[in-house]
Amino acid sequence: MSLAILLATYNGEKFLPEQMDSLFSQTYADFVIYAHDDGSTDQTVGILRQYEKKYPEKLVILEYEPQGGAKNNFYSLMQRIDADYYMFCDQDDVWHPEKIEKTLKKILELEDDYPSLPCLVFTDLIVTDGKLNILYDSLMRKFNYQPEKQNICTVLSGNIAFGCSMLFNKLSRNYALNIKDINDFSMHDTLMMLVVLSSGRIGYLSQPTIYYRQHENNEVGLKEKNFNFWVRNKMENIIHGRQLEESKKKITSQKKMISELESLTNVLPEEEIIIQDLSNILYENKINRMKIYYKYGLLNNSWKNRWKIILV
């Protein structure tokens, strides 16, 4: 049984050593790390080389052209690496010692129930600052997320399954590689969730398995929004003409993601019904599009988002 840890790096010299040490301190050690750097200008590659010398059988550095961001970098690694199981690894987090062991156990249990399906497991996270001081001991509780209730529609509205907490099987990876155009998927984790929700099964582990570090250089991170922040942000967007444009971009991306899911084969019958219904957004008149959006909650149905109806 092979397990590939896919490590995407870019200018990560500050935190990368702590992450690498946490990988090599795992209670489950039968894995290989495959790293690709996206054009760093600091000492990231040099740090990787040091660990490669120390662990020549556990770390493989792949050299090819920069991919232009984390999503494309992780996807390029999936394209190149063949394994039974995969994990995404960010450069600036710290894994708990039993992260692999616990998530692997969870996915094996899931596969026992669904042996011929794509399976993916994700976990809760502990959120920290740059110095690993704990900010929230549970990301899911802090933001009142409901990880056990994730489905295609909730992920289209906003994915809460973080790639750095995921473990998925080979079928999941193979199905994801059938997506023809990944440009409108916000990140690699959203892509994986939508593919597996369409064709397989998702598992959730409520115990945090990672210190999710938040710092000034996060490519993607948490943005806690209180009411004052929300008002200020909305006003700035309106003043600068960004509000309609940002919402239009999100709705357009939802439509394109739905279109990509519609083209997949091996979609489960119960999910195919939902995808077909959602795909009507691409063809129906405005009134029927509005009905579909409200039916599946793609406008979040809150007073803050009611005005978006003009963009549907």
Side-chain angles (χ1 to χ4, degrees), residues 135-175:
L135 302 177
Y136 322 125
D137 60 5
S138 167
L139 182 148
M140 300 299 170
R141 288 199 305 271
K142 171 62 180 178
F143 294 97
N144 296 316
Y145 292 150
Q146 296 180 300
E148 297 89 351
K149 296 183 179 181
Q150 292 304 288
N151 55 49
I152 290 173
C153 301
T154 60
V155 174
L156 284 170
S157 294
N159 180 40
I160 67 167
F162 288 67
C164 57
S165 76
M166 289 180 176
L167 189 151
F168 52 93
N169 62 9
K170 186 173 185 176
L171 271 177
S172 300
R173 171 260 194 180
N174 291 347
Y175 283 23

Side-chain angles (χ1 to χ4, degrees), residues 121-136:
V121 170
F122 70 101
T123 80
D124 200 352
L125 308 91
I126 294 176
V127 182
T128 77
D129 64 15
K131 297 181 179 180
L132 293 183
N133 297 308
I134 294 176
L135 302 177
Y136 322 125

Side-chain angles (χ1 to χ4, degrees), residues 219-283:
E219 179 173 346
V220 176
L222 295 176
K223 296 177 177 63
E224 185 177 3
K225 299 181 181 180
N226 57 32
F227 181 75
N228 290 334
F229 176 92
W230 180 84
V231 171
R232 185 172 65 253
N233 182 256
K234 291 294 182 185
M235 291 302 296
E236 289 177 355
N237 284 342
I238 291 170
I239 292 171
H240 296 288
R242 295 191 297 259
Q243 190 64 57
L244 285 175
E245 190 61 32
E246 287 183 4
S247 296
K248 182 178 180 180
K249 181 179 179 181
K250 181 172 183 178
I251 289 174
T252 300
S253 294
Q254 286 176 343
K255 292 177 180 179
K256 291 183 177 179
M257 285 188 285
I258 291 164
S259 179
E260 289 296 328
L261 294 178
E262 188 182 19
S263 69
L264 289 175
T265 58
N266 302 311
V267 174
L268 297 174
E270 62 270 27
E271 303 303 331
E272 188 171 14
I273 295 172
I274 297 173
I275 292 172
Q276 286 294 326
D277 202 359
L278 290 172
S279 70
N280 289 332
I281 292 172
L282 307 172
Y283 316 112

Side-chain angles (χ1 to χ4, degrees), residues 6 74 78 86-90 95 163-164 166 168 188 192:
L6 308 181
F74 279 118
M78 285 202 299
Y86 298 83
M87 301 180 79
F88 295 129
C89 181
D90 294 340
W95 287 16
C164 57
M166 289 180 176
F168 52 93
H188 51 287
M192 293 306 305

Side-chain angles (χ1 to χ4, degrees), residues 73-110:
N73 201 356
F74 279 118
Y75 194 78
S76 71
L77 282 165
M78 285 202 299
Q79 290 175 311
R80 289 166 169 80
I81 304 303
D82 183 69
D84 297 318
Y85 297 94
Y86 298 83
M87 301 180 79
F88 295 129
C89 181
D90 294 340
Q91 65 188 6
D92 45 9
D93 300 322
V94 172
W95 287 16
H96 294 187
E98 297 181 343
K99 181 179 192 297
I100 298 177
E101 180 181 349
K102 290 179 178 179
T103 49
L104 186 59
K105 178 183 178 182
K106 182 72 174 180
I107 201 170
L108 291 175
E109 292 172 353
L110 194 61

